[in-house]
């Protein structure tokens, strides 16, 4: 307790906390996009439950990983060499997660472009569909959680600060989950944009796994620019619809 009080009296600790909270929230956006898109494919009465379970698993996984920081740090040590590239367990997990994300985003894009080939994909036992969604969310939770915790370890040596930042970020995800999913569900073009974001994030994870560092600022700047352009398109569409309605 005394250590926590002493830590709270250090200005640099508050700066680290603020910076880390922002970083964790930004990293959580990727996770939240995937959860929102996947949960929207479930029957309506299961969607909110799937989001809460998915985000709850993300919190449990991140707190669990924080309890094993010594092991997490070892994940960055090379364990295998492939085509001249030394890969650590972190790299392997990022590559596997990136491939999964690229596969999933590509499959969903194909489904939206040609839905006639997939009319029966969501037909079946609701429990099985819900379980499948949770498993997929769990896989991505693991990838994003390890990336998140390693980022936190690199920014501060204080576990207390990491715990507060992780809990804050996951709380923001929980609060934003339903509004984001509802917005995505009401705007079909946003779904395609979000899937494109996931495709970009998956490709970035694969590149990071092979040692090609892609500055996160570039990725999120591109995503923000695309979102602004889509926002303008939606504004223009709504204005056109209002004008047509007024002329009737």
């Amino acid at each position: 307790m005394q250590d926590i009080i002493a830590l709270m009296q250090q200005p640099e600790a508050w700066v680290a906390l603020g910076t880390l909270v922002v970083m964790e929230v930004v990293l959580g956006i990727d996770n939240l996009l995937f959860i929102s898109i996947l949960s929207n494919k479930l029957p309506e009465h299961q969607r909110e439950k799937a989001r809460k379970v998915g985000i709850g698993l993300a919190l449990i996984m991140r707190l669990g990983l924080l309890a094993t920081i010594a092991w997490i740090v070892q994940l960055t040590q090379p364990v295998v060499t492939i085509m001249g590239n030394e890969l650590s367990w972190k790299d392997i997990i990022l590559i596997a997660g990136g491939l999964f994300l690229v596969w999933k985003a590509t499959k969903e894009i194909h489904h939206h472009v040609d839905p006639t080939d997939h009319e029966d994909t969501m037909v079946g036992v609701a429990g099985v569909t819900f379980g499948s969604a949770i498993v997929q969310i769990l896989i991505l939770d693991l990838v994003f959680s390890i990336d998140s915790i390693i980022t936190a370890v690199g920014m501060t040596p204080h576990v207390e600060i990491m715990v507060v930042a992780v809990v804050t970020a996951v709380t923001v995800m929980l609060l934003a989950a339903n509004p984001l999913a509802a917005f995505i569900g009401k705007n079909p073009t946003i779904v395609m944009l979000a899937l494109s974001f996931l495709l970009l994030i998956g490709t970035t994870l694969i590149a990071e796994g092979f040692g090609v560092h892609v500055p996160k600022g570039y990725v999120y700047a591109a995503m923000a620019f695309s979102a602004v352009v889509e926002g303008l398109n939606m504004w223009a569409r709504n204005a056109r619809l209002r004008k047509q309605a007024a002329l009737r």
Side-chain angles (χ1 to χ4, degrees), residues 7 103 112 150 157 202 209 214 239:
L7 190 61
W103 168 78
H112 282 82
I150 289 178
V214 181

Side-chain angles (χ1 to χ4, degrees), residues 2-248:
Q2 292 179 345
D3 292 340
I4 296 176
I5 294 175
L7 190 61
M8 290 176 63
Q9 295 174 345
Q10 300 176 14
E12 58 270 21
W14 288 100
V15 173
L17 176 61
T19 305
L20 192 53
V21 165
V22 173
M23 287 295 297
E24 291 293 325
V25 170
V26 170
L27 291 172
I29 291 173
D30 307 341
N31 206 172
L32 190 56
L33 274 175
F34 182 81
I35 292 174
S36 297
I37 291 174
L38 196 58
S39 64
N40 278 353
K41 294 177 69 66
L42 293 170
E44 190 169 353
H45 67 280
Q46 292 183 333
R47 293 175 184 176
E48 185 173 355
K49 181 180 178 182
R51 291 177 205 123
K52 289 181 177 178
V53 170
I55 295 171
L57 288 173
L59 177 60
I60 293 171
M61 199 170 294
R62 293 181 192 194
L63 292 178
L65 290 174
L66 279 174
T68 57
I69 284 182
W71 174 73
I72 292 294
V73 172
Q74 292 177 0
L75 288 179
T76 59
Q77 301 300 317
V79 294
V80 67
T81 301
I82 299 178
M83 299 176 62
N85 294 300
E86 292 186 340
L87 302 180
S88 64
W89 280 115
K90 176 201 171 187
D91 297 329
I92 294 170
I93 291 171
L94 288 180
I95 292 169
L99 288 171
F100 174 77
L101 206 52
V102 168
W103 168 78
K104 187 64 181 177
T106 302
K107 182 180 177 182
E108 293 300 323
I109 288 173
H110 178 59
H111 169 73
H112 282 82
V113 171
D114 189 10
T116 55
D117 287 344
H118 308 271
E119 289 178 350
D120 60 342
T121 54
M122 294 306 294
V123 178
V125 182
V128 174
T129 302
F130 181 84
S132 174
I134 294 302
V135 169
Q136 293 181 63
I137 289 172
L138 186 60
I139 293 172
L140 263 296
D141 275 348
L142 175 62
V143 176
F144 288 125
S145 292
I146 289 179
D147 193 29
S148 168
I149 297 306
I150 289 178
T151 299
V153 169
M155 292 185 66
T156 178
H158 302 293
V159 177
E160 298 89 347
I161 292 177
M162 297 180 204
V163 170
V164 173
V166 166
V167 171
T168 302
V170 173
T171 301
V172 171
M173 288 172 61
L174 189 59
L175 294 174
N178 287 340
L180 178 62
F183 181 72
I184 289 175
K186 291 177 181 178
N187 298 276
T189 56
I190 291 293
V191 175
M192 192 63 72
L193 183 63
L195 288 171
S196 300
F197 287 167
L198 292 180
L199 197 59
L200 175 62
I201 293 163
T203 304
T204 302
L205 289 176
I206 296 171
E208 292 278 354
F210 280 107
V212 180
H213 178 63
V214 181
K216 291 290 193 301
Y218 293 161
V219 175
Y220 291 114
M223 290 170 63
F225 178 77
S226 300
V228 169
V229 171
E230 181 58 28
L232 292 173
N233 284 332
M234 291 172 60
W235 189 8
R237 278 197 303 271
N238 290 336
R240 187 164 56 251
L241 290 173
R242 285 195 300 268
K243 185 176 180 180
Q244 290 174 352
L247 294 175
R248 290 176 183 174

